[in-house]
């Protein structure tokens, strides 16, 4: 049974930083592409950042240069470091894992609010 547990969301002022964490099961961590989507009110879900099992990363244009995705194999955890946050970053952020031969697994979502 594969599960992803997210943490790290909260309220932050514009220009501030947050780090989201996504703890994955050890059985899939090294074999799955992983990353983060977000969904803002009234908008479709958007791919924010992706990290392949081989270490290749991709970012949405809107967050490039501000967000960094990383993986810590010792902790079976994927992180999303978010710097210089803007109000338009406000959304629920969802972690995902895409195993090679299994269906995708999703985290429960964590709320990020960027506001003065």
């Amino acid at each position: 049974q594969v599960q992803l547990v997210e943490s790290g969301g909260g309220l932050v002022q514009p220009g501030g930083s947050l780090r989201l964490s996504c703890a994955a099961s050890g059985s899939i961590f090294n074999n799955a592409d992983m990353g983060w989507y977000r969904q803002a009110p009234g908008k479709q879900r958007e791919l924010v950042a992706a990290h392949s099992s081989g270490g290749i990363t991709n970012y949405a244009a809107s967050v490039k240069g501000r967000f960094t995705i990383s993986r810590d194999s010792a902790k079976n955890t994927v992180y999303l470091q978010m710097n210089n946050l803007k109000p338009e970053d406000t959304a629920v952020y969802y972690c995902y894992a895409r195993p090679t031969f299994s269906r995708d697994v999703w985290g429960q979502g964590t709320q990020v609010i960027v506001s003065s």
Side-chain angles (χ1 to χ4, degrees):
Q1 295 181 352
V2 178
Q3 290 186 318
L4 303 177
V5 180
E6 301 180 31
S7 62
L11 174 64
V12 65
Q13 293 185 346
S17 298
L18 286 172
R19 188 178 73 163
L20 306 183
S21 298
C22 176
S25 66
S27 63
I28 69 166
F29 186 83
N30 292 325
N31 297 311
D33 296 338
M34 301 187 68
W36 298 85
Y37 281 80
R38 68 185 180 187
Q39 188 165 28
K43 298 183 179 179
Q44 296 185 33
R45 188 170 293 187
E46 172 192 24
L47 179 63
V48 177
H51 193 301
S52 76
S53 60
I56 305 300
T57 59
N58 286 293
Y59 298 92
S62 59
V63 308
K64 205 165 190 177
R66 299 187 298 119
F67 291 11
T68 303
I69 188 171
S70 61
R71 297 169 73 140
D72 185 339
S73 60
K75 297 181 178 180
N76 295 331
T77 301
V78 175
Y79 302 97
L80 185 67
Q81 178 67 47
M82 305 186 294
N83 297 326
N84 192 24
L85 283 160
K86 303 176 179 180
E88 51 263 42
D89 296 318
T90 297
V92 178
Y93 285 71
Y94 297 91
C95 176
Y96 73 87
R98 186 166 293 123
T100 302
F101 300 110
S102 301
R103 63 183 61 188
D104 293 353
V105 181
W106 292 86
Q108 81 280 8
T110 185
Q111 177 73 62
V112 172
I113 300 175
V114 185
S115 177
S116 299

